[in-house]
Amino acid sequence: MAVTRFAPSPTGYLHIGGARTALFDLIWAKNTGGKYILRMEDTDQSRNSPTAAKQVMDDLSWLGIKWDEGPEIGGPAGPYFQSQRLDIYNKYIQRLLDAGKAYYCFDTAEELERMRKEASDRKQNFLYRRPAKFPTLADVEAAKAQGRDVVVRFCMPDDEIIVNDIVRGEVRFNGKDLSDFIIQKSDGFPTYHLACVVDDELMGITHVIRGQEHLMNTPGHIVMQQAFGFKTPVYAHLSVIVSEGGGKMSKRERAKVLKAAIKKAQGLDKEKLAAIGGITIAEIDEFLSGDAMPDTPAIDAMAGYLKIELPEINIVDFFKSGFLPETLVNFIALLGYSPPIDKEIMTLQEIIDTFDPTRFNKTNCLFDRKKLVAFNMEHIKMLPEEKLLSRYKDFLKEVNSPAAKADDLLLKKVLKACAGARTLAEIDHKSRFLFTADDKVEYDQKDVEKVLLKNDGEGLAMLALLKEKLAALDKISEESIENLLRGIAEQKQIGLGKVAQPLRVAICGTTISLPIFESIEMLGINATITRMERTINEYSKK
Ligand code: GLU
């Protein structure tokens, strides 16, 4: 029985790598009939925010990843926000200090910089040199009085440390190459290392699944577990996800694209941009000149203002692009993992039921967006009607679509007419004409030219004829509209397209739309005729 935990540092939206970790934590726990804990690692005062924690939880919930213990639901090992567990960490830090396995330090930034430089001059990695005699409490007080920052470092033993990793096998580290790392910062908060090790023990974690970037931290965690007399959990470090461009799928990519766009923008109104992002001009300058990254809503707002598309990295980006949570779960579960069954399109339950921890891959895994789209098409087809409707409504709300206000009956018709769509965004896009005022339909000029004006206004003439016939129909149904259009095509010995395309452009402004008969039926005959008249007036030679 595995007890796993997902332990995000809430710095922004949940991204694709974090979601994969969260998912395998859940899969592992559920496959073994175990427990899945959510723990917020929010001890970095400068980087973590409560809104980000909420956002991460919303994103997990949207994916259908439910935790058994954690924020909002509680549990026996709570609280589940590390920022609320300082007393616990202090107790453990004291224990290490008392045992001589940790010590105070109060080097200034300049002193540390000098040590780093000396190491690099010797062409060596910087390793913090442990003092022969550890500072006493009196020394600490004196240092504080001088205005120095005080931290606590853990004594790294010189021995070899072996990490038995499920994904990578045995990975050996030499304690001699590893620095005495900080376990308590000068603000009194523990570092991630200390809090993580203590909480994994207190929460009874048996399996730690996390990204490969944490492998370097694991030897330090193992020796700290040994120093405390804790059990060492099973480790699985999941392989790196790379984008099609070859880079790491990291949040920084979004900031990078935005940064480049701001730098390139001509005559940019920085004040306006800052206001749109809800940040100050100084913060924009800091962002442009360094590593500082505004939080995600600010990034999105500024990208919208600059009319640029940012790469999809966060779960919410995929939500907004019209992917189903079922698709993402299925797709993410195949990043760095090959299920033991000969099938790719799977539900979460199937993935859980067939989970085999020996089937993780070591090599980097490619984020293949085409495959994601293909998966989405399958999952849209597979979802029962009511479920798809509810997903679609969530999507419409998220992107502020005017269709969000439509009634269920109409949306169900839209979904049916869009069978075979690749994304929910595509469905929304194709059916926007139903939710646009008759006099606000925007015409695609290329389509107008091709379909209405070409050959001396052939399409417009067709539109005039159709308008009369449609107005004269006594019964409006998909069937009667189809009969009428087909009848005209037959009578004139022309393809159905020649009849239907002008009508399409008149009601949607473009030739990309839903099947024409359903479109008219859904739009209603009055609006259809109004739009046909408007089009005829707009483009007839005056
Ligand atoms: N807070 C760490 C992170 O977000 C968790 C790492 C771990 O799972 O131990 O990367």
Side-chain angles (χ1 to χ4, degrees):
M1 210 180 73
V3 180
T4 61
R5 75 337 185 242
F6 177 49
S9 304
T11 52
Y13 294 128
L14 179 67
H15 58 95
I16 204 85
R20 181 184 56 168
T21 302
L23 185 60
F24 278 108
D25 280 315
L26 176 83
I27 293 171
W28 209 317
K30 295 297 153 189
N31 173 265
T32 58
K35 202 163 63 175
Y36 173 49
I37 298 177
L38 176 63
R39 177 172 85 217
M40 288 293 165
E41 300 209 325
D42 59 344
T43 57
D44 190 339
Q45 293 270 285
S46 58
R47 292 178 63 228
N48 301 148
S49 84
T51 44
K54 168 88 176 60
Q55 183 66 49
V56 168
M57 289 191 268
D58 287 350
D59 292 342
L60 288 173
S61 302
W62 180 73
L63 284 171
I65 297 180
K66 294 196 193 79
W67 49 102
D68 302 311
E69 278 178 35
E72 287 176 347
I73 54 172
Y80 294 91
F81 281 86
Q82 289 189 327
S83 58
Q84 295 168 16
R85 299 169 64 81
L86 297 190
D87 291 351
I88 303 175
Y89 307 130
N90 286 339
K91 209 174 78 194
Y92 281 95
I93 292 166
Q94 193 57 49
R95 222 194 252 183
L96 290 178
L97 284 165
D98 293 345
K101 291 180 177 171
Y103 58 96
Y104 293 108
C105 315
F106 22 78
D107 308 284
T108 61
E110 296 75 41
E111 285 163 352
L112 282 169
E113 193 41 50
R114 204 171 50 237
M115 294 180 214
R116 278 201 189 93
K117 184 160 182 312
E118 277 165 17
S120 91
D121 288 347
R122 278 189 311 237
K123 306 223 175 330
Q124 284 171 345
N125 284 334
F126 167 62
L127 286 182
Y128 189 84
R129 292 278 147 217
R130 195 176 307 161
K133 188 173 163 299
F134 293 162
T136 61
L137 273 181
D139 298 331
V140 170
E141 289 313 317
K144 275 191 186 158
Q146 284 177 20
R148 285 173 173 260
D149 284 340
V150 178
V151 301
V152 177
R153 283 185 189 263
F154 177 74
C155 298
M156 195 72 194
D158 280 349
D159 320 325
E160 184 180 56
I161 305 149
I162 299 174
V163 177
N164 275 308
D165 187 70
I166 293 273
V167 183
R168 327 196 73 79
E170 230 179 56
V171 189
R172 288 166 185 272
F173 293 88
N174 195 335
K176 286 196 194 100
D177 303 332
L178 302 170
S179 220
D180 286 356
F181 54 91
I182 296 178
I183 55 175
Q184 187 175 46
K185 295 174 278 187
S186 58
D187 61 3
F189 276 68
T191 56
Y192 150 67
H193 306 292
L194 184 282
C196 170
V197 163
V198 168
D199 285 346
D200 283 347
E201 170 74 11
L202 298 186
M203 295 180 180
I205 304 303
T206 59
H207 292 67
V208 169
I209 301 132
R210 57 189 178 198
Q212 197 190 299
E213 69 276 13
H214 285 290
L215 182 61
M216 280 304 292
N217 295 328
T218 306
H221 292 189
I222 291 179
V223 286
M224 218 192 316
Q225 287 152 2
Q226 290 163 352
F228 281 127
F230 292 165
K231 282 202 279 305
T232 289
V234 172
Y235 283 101
H237 291 91
L238 307 182
S239 57
V240 175
I241 307 173
V242 290
S243 68
E244 276 155 327
K248 237 180 111 184
M249 289 278 285
S250 109
K251 280 184 182 205
R252 302 212 160 265
E253 288 305 308
R254 290 170 58 78
K256 245 199 245 162
V257 172
L258 177 64
K259 206 185 258 190
I262 298 178
K263 285 189 174 161
K264 226 175 71 191
Q266 311 249 325
L268 176 72
D269 181 347
K270 249 197 213 169
E271 204 171 324
K272 181 97 187 278
L273 184 69
I276 297 237
I279 57 178
T280 61
I281 296 187
E283 280 171 317
I284 293 198
D285 289 336
E286 209 183 312
F287 169 54
L288 292 179
S289 62
D291 275 345
M293 181 165 59
D295 72 354
T296 321
I299 288 195
D300 286 329
M302 290 191 283
Y305 175 66
L306 294 173
K307 296 200 168 53
I308 54 159
E309 295 258 350
L310 298 180
E312 296 159 318
I313 306 257
N314 298 313
I315 291 303
V316 73
D317 303 334
F318 294 97
F319 181 13
K320 287 190 176 140
S321 298
F323 291 98
L324 292 173
E326 286 79 3
T327 307
L328 276 168
V329 161
N330 185 171
F331 180 79
I332 291 173
L334 301 184
L335 290 174
Y337 171 75
S338 325
I341 48 174
D342 191 17
K343 137 172 183 183
E344 284 211 302
I345 303 294
M346 291 187 285
T347 62
L348 177 57
Q349 196 55 51
E350 284 176 295
I351 301 166
I352 292 173
D353 292 342
T354 58
F355 177 62
D356 176 354
T358 65
R359 300 186 62 94
F360 284 111
N361 316 120
K362 268 200 268 245
T363 45
N364 290 355
C365 46
L366 178 73
F367 189 97
D368 178 353
R369 196 176 186 281
K370 278 203 200 77
K371 185 164 152 179
L372 177 70
V373 172
F375 273 32
N376 205 43
M377 198 165 139
E378 293 306 319
H379 279 281
I380 291 178
K381 273 192 227 151
M382 270 161 61
L383 225 51
E385 190 187 26
E386 287 300 326
K387 189 103 193 199
L388 182 60
L389 175 66
S390 117
R391 296 272 182 254
Y392 188 47
K393 281 162 72 174
D394 290 347
F395 166 78
L396 294 174
K397 221 163 107 197
E398 179 70 22
V399 299
N400 275 324
S401 166
K405 290 193 209 84
D407 64 51
D408 288 5
L409 198 70
L410 179 56
L411 291 181
K412 274 189 189 170
K413 282 187 187 168
V414 166
L415 289 171
K416 210 160 141 213
C418 287
R422 287 163 301 184
T423 64
L424 300 182
E426 179 185 326
I427 301 176
D428 182 29
H429 183 68
K430 281 192 175 164
S431 56
R432 276 282 167 105
F433 74 98
L434 294 170
F435 311 98
T436 307
D438 295 336
D439 58 350
K440 292 281 181 313
V441 173
E442 284 178 23
Y443 299 99
D444 177 320
Q445 290 310 318
K446 268 208 227 89
D447 285 346
V448 166
E449 185 60 42
K450 197 170 95 199
V451 175
L452 299 177
L453 306 181
K454 215 175 68 186
N455 295 338
D456 219 10
E458 187 182 67
L460 271 184
M462 174 57 74
L463 213 49
L465 170 76
L466 264 177
K467 198 192 83 171
E468 299 309 317
K469 301 255 181 198
L470 273 173
L473 268 187
D474 16 287
K475 193 175 161 288
I476 303 296
S477 68
E478 231 179 270
E479 201 189 348
S480 66
I481 299 165
E482 177 164 359
N483 287 340
L484 174 73
L485 266 63
R486 286 197 191 282
I488 297 176
E490 221 162 275
Q491 193 193 3
K492 294 198 166 285
Q493 299 279 301
I494 51 177
L496 183 62
K498 285 255 186 262
V499 187
Q501 291 297 63
L503 190 50
R504 251 204 187 104
V505 173
I507 64 172
C508 312
T510 145
T511 50
I512 304 160
S513 85
L514 308 183
I516 190 69
F517 316 127
E518 284 99 320
S519 295
I520 296 170
E521 208 254 339
M522 286 187 280
L523 182 63
I525 197 70
N526 291 341
T528 302
I529 293 189
T530 307
R531 291 181 188 196
M532 290 168 89
E533 276 166 359
R534 178 179 173 237
T535 312
I536 294 168
N537 287 340
E538 183 89 20
Y539 293 107
S540 294
K541 286 197 190 99
K542 305 227 161 86

